[in-house]
Amino acid sequence: MKDKQQVKDAINALYEGAGIKTQFTGQVNEEVAKVFGELLTEIRRCTLALKWVPKPTGGPATIKWIAKNIGRSIIQQFKDDISITCAKARILQFQTRLRLASLGG
């Protein structure tokens, strides 16, 4: 349960860091972790802020991987460095996928 809360906190911290005034309130599952990992990869492509975040090895991001590597404090550290335009665009592209993943869809 703690790991799932950390994933939710990381998603919401990313939203906050990008200036998006919404909260992810869905259920965290492995599909959500996978989609969030893809979102991080997309943001990494257009901003240097996430270049130092390790990529998941052996496949897509998992709840355990996110809980271990991406915490709220880490996201707050790059808040000032993130390309707001890039992050907002990518987050908006992935919001529906995250919601659907949280529903098991």
Side-chain angles (χ1 to χ4, degrees):
M1 188 62 143
K2 180 182 174 190
D3 288 349
K4 289 182 178 185
Q5 185 59 49
Q6 286 180 286
V7 172
K8 189 178 281 192
D9 290 347
I11 293 169
N12 286 323
L14 181 63
Y15 285 3
E16 182 181 322
I20 294 177
K21 307 230 185 295
T22 190
Q23 292 283 305
F24 175 78
T25 58
Q27 296 296 315
V28 174
N29 56 40
E30 290 300 335
E31 187 63 23
V32 168
K34 177 183 170 190
V35 172
F36 184 58
E38 292 172 15
L39 170 58
L40 292 174
T41 298
E42 287 299 315
I43 293 173
R44 185 185 292 123
R45 288 184 180 152
C46 63
T47 181
L48 295 176
L50 288 177
K51 294 291 185 193
W52 56 272
V53 174
K55 293 179 182 178
T57 57
T62 63
I63 292 171
K64 289 268 187 220
W65 181 87
I66 292 170
K68 180 180 177 188
N69 292 287
I70 312 291
R72 186 172 185 84
S73 62
I74 290 173
I75 291 179
Q76 289 300 325
Q77 288 175 7
F78 72 76
K79 184 176 179 180
D80 293 334
D81 297 329
I82 198 165
S83 166
I84 300 297
T85 302
C86 164
K88 277 185 179 179
R90 296 309 182 271
I91 289 168
L92 293 173
Q93 289 172 341
F94 277 77
Q95 272 186 321
T96 299
R97 286 185 60 201
L98 277 171
R99 276 191 228 116
L100 287 174
S102 76
L103 298 171

